[in-house]
Amino acid sequence: MLTFRLFMLQRVTALIMAPLVLGHLAVMVYAIRGGLSTGAILSRTQGSLPWAIFYGTFVVAVSIHAAIGVRVIAAEIFHMRGLLLNALSWALCAFLLFAGLRAVLSVTAL
């Protein structure tokens, strides 16, 4: 039952990530074509709650999605099971959440 739940959770996070990836790519193209500098981009994102929500949601979805994917790979290739597999999954998810949300905060906070 856990395997099915993780399978479904990974599919849900993929559904969440798809439009966010397209949005991120559109913003990148707009910034590059507009000739925006790093400073100009940061000035637009500083203190912006919508950008914090957009990229925060992206980070949460990616963290969960990646942790589940690595869990499956570790189980299939390295034959990991039980507590070690759970610890790897949770540790990776926690690390990605910490690093990603810290980056989002640094770009969007005043």
Side-chain angles (χ1 to χ4, degrees):
M1 189 63 152
L2 176 63
T3 304
F4 177 73
R5 288 183 191 162
L6 292 174
F7 174 84
M8 291 307 297
L9 184 57
Q10 192 172 40
R11 292 332 181 251
V12 168
T13 56
L15 287 171
I16 293 168
M17 287 188 313
L20 296 175
V21 167
L22 293 176
H24 176 70
L25 291 173
V27 168
M28 286 175 37
V29 168
Y30 171 78
I32 291 169
R33 289 200 174 181
L36 294 175
S37 67
T38 305
I41 293 169
L42 287 175
S43 71
R44 293 175 184 210
T45 60
Q46 294 288 303
S48 174
L49 183 60
W51 284 121
I53 292 170
F54 179 87
Y55 282 110
T57 303
F58 196 13
V59 164
V60 171
V62 167
S63 299
I64 294 168
H65 189 86
I68 295 170
V70 169
R71 176 189 178 89
V72 171
I73 292 168
E76 289 180 3
I77 294 177
F78 302 113
H79 306 290
M80 294 175 86
R81 301 281 183 261
L83 186 59
L84 183 60
L85 186 59
N86 290 337
L88 173 69
S89 300
W90 282 107
L92 179 62
C93 186
F95 171 75
L96 293 173
L97 277 171
F98 174 77
L101 292 176
R102 185 173 174 211
V104 170
L105 185 62
S106 69
V107 171
T108 59
L110 291 174

